[in-house]
Amino acid sequence: MIQGLDDAHAVVLATGDAMQLDRDQRIVEHVIPMKRIVIEIVDPREADPRSNSVSDPIAGGPAISPEHLISIFDRLLVKCWVTADEHDRLNRTGRSFQWDAPDGDGWSRYRQAGVTAYQLTTDGDLLHD
């Protein structure tokens, strides 16, 4: 079920370097890691204490119905195209960042890894400021 929900969401962000690659060379990265989304759906108190100062829900979890599960998933899922090097850096940022979103902040590991993502237009081009 989770894979189907994930597949239904388009990639909405990308790094500049990822956009220079062919589409099949880009890596789809979840800004809030999938593990953290599942934890929120099942039991937010199980969030990794190494990167969470509180165990409060970040999106109203745990899910109490299929509709609530989908609303949590839709609220937290953000996909970004990155390069292989950027993906490696994001997963080496420390603590448990590759598995969690510290206190619900999925962008913290992007900042720490020095990875900048930009919004994509509806045509799939980068939308720069």
Side-chain angles (χ1 to χ4, degrees), residues 92-109:
R92 287 192 315 255
T93 57
R95 299 176 75 179
S96 69
F97 284 9
Q98 70 268 36
W99 302 114
D100 215 337
D103 293 320
D105 180 7
W107 293 109
S108 59
R109 63 194 181 103

Side-chain angles (χ1 to χ4, degrees), residues 6-7 9-10 13 18 25 47 51 68 86 103 105 112:
D6 184 48
D7 290 346
H9 285 75
L13 301 165
Q25 293 178 312
S51 62
H68 189 213
E86 291 165 337
D103 293 320
D105 180 7
Q112 190 169 357

Side-chain angles (χ1 to χ4, degrees), residues 10 12 26 39-40 53 61 76 80 98 105 110 112 117 126 128:
V12 296
R26 300 173 193 165
I39 286 170
E40 179 69 12
S53 59
L76 295 180
C80 179
Q98 70 268 36
D105 180 7
Y110 279 72
Q112 190 169 357
L126 281 181
H128 289 282

Side-chain angles (χ1 to χ4, degrees), residues 1-124:
M1 177 178 187
I2 296 293
Q3 184 63 45
L5 291 173
D6 184 48
D7 290 346
H9 285 75
V11 174
V12 296
L13 301 165
T15 67
D17 289 343
M19 291 302 288
Q20 300 302 312
L21 301 173
D22 290 333
R23 189 176 288 236
D24 63 340
Q25 293 178 312
R26 300 173 193 165
I27 295 173
V28 175
E29 218 282 321
H30 295 90
V31 175
I32 294 181
M34 190 63 73
K35 180 180 179 185
R36 181 63 177 99
I37 295 171
V38 171
I39 286 170
E40 179 69 12
I41 290 167
V42 176
D43 186 356
R45 295 171 299 179
E46 294 300 316
D48 194 322
R50 292 175 294 172
S51 62
N52 289 277
S53 59
V54 296
S55 60
D56 297 335
I58 60 173
I64 56 173
S65 69
E67 295 79 15
H68 189 213
L69 181 153
I70 291 169
S71 74
I72 292 170
F73 195 84
D74 288 346
R75 181 171 166 198
L76 295 180
L77 186 73
V78 178
K79 297 192 309 191
C80 179
W81 277 323
V82 298
T83 67
D85 176 65
E86 291 165 337
H87 191 255
D88 288 344
R89 289 191 346 242
L90 287 163
N91 286 328
R92 287 192 315 255
T93 57
R95 299 176 75 179
S96 69
F97 284 9
Q98 70 268 36
W99 302 114
D100 215 337
D103 293 320
D105 180 7
W107 293 109
S108 59
R109 63 194 181 103
Y110 279 72
R111 287 188 299 273
Q112 190 169 357
V115 174
T116 303
Y118 301 95
Q119 190 75 35
L120 294 174
T121 66
T122 55
D123 295 331

